[in-house]
Amino acid sequence: MTGNEVACILAQELISLGFIVHRYNAYSTSSIYLKLDYGVACGIRIADHPGKKKYSYRFNVIKNYSGDKSIVKGGLICRFYDFTELENVINAVQSEKKDKINKYGLKNYQKYMERQSKSDLYKRFRKMEVNKK
């Protein structure tokens, strides 16, 4: 399976679960980034290689990954998955959103999404839509 296939599977499943998903393909590598609910539910990095040390993503899906499933980096918990663990990624993302809604309340979660939607970041990211079969 390719990174593009992983990104499409995750995006479609998450959209069907009610997430707003934006996608960005890196220019210099094969990495693909998915932002969930304008980043309020964090993001997913999909790649066939390790990431740069200075960047941290909550969810990392890396081809043939073997290593720690979770690390704390700069105060952020980063979780790692292999391309074969997409169901686990989806479950973790759903849990992240649920935890944030429980912590902030649904109205505040929606307010944070509205605020984040105005970020210049979303000029580079493309909003994903449901694929019609």
Side-chain angles (χ1 to χ4, degrees):
M1 191 167 2
T2 67
N4 186 56
E5 290 169 325
V6 168
C8 289
I9 290 166
L10 287 174
Q12 290 304 303
E13 183 64 25
L14 291 167
I15 290 167
S16 75
L17 291 168
F19 285 85
I20 297 170
V21 179
H22 287 82
R23 176 178 172 156
Y24 177 77
N25 294 354
Y27 288 106
S28 60
T29 69
S30 58
S31 295
I32 299 166
Y33 303 91
L34 301 179
K35 286 284 192 186
L36 310 171
D37 288 350
Y38 294 99
V40 180
C42 299
I44 303 171
R45 177 180 174 267
I46 302 158
D48 58 6
H49 60 279
K52 296 181 179 172
K53 288 203 184 295
K54 65 181 176 174
Y55 298 117
S56 300
Y57 299 90
R58 170 79 75 210
F59 304 105
N60 299 271
V61 183
I62 302 171
K63 187 174 185 128
N64 301 321
Y65 180 77
S66 64
D68 292 333
K69 296 308 261 175
S70 138
I71 63 168
V72 177
K73 189 173 169 186
L76 174 72
I77 298 170
C78 302
R79 302 192 189 288
F80 296 86
Y81 306 88
D82 180 71
F83 278 18
T84 62
E85 300 176 293
L86 301 188
E87 194 63 38
N88 294 342
V89 176
I90 290 164
N91 290 337
V93 167
Q94 287 180 288
S95 182
E96 179 78 22
K97 180 174 182 171
K98 183 178 161 218
D99 290 349
K100 287 196 173 157
I101 289 173
N102 286 340
K103 181 177 181 180
Y104 304 124
L106 181 58
K107 289 219 184 300
N108 282 331
Y109 184 91
Q110 291 168 331
K111 260 192 247 177
Y112 296 146
M113 280 179 40
E114 175 66 25
R115 188 178 311 147
Q116 287 297 110
S117 73
K118 294 170 178 34
S119 166
D120 284 346
L121 184 69
Y122 294 99
K123 292 178 183 165
R124 292 193 316 259
F125 278 70
R126 178 174 54 95
K127 185 173 182 183
M128 304 296 293
E129 304 291 339
V130 175
N131 276 344
K132 307 280 191 274
K133 297 202 176 179

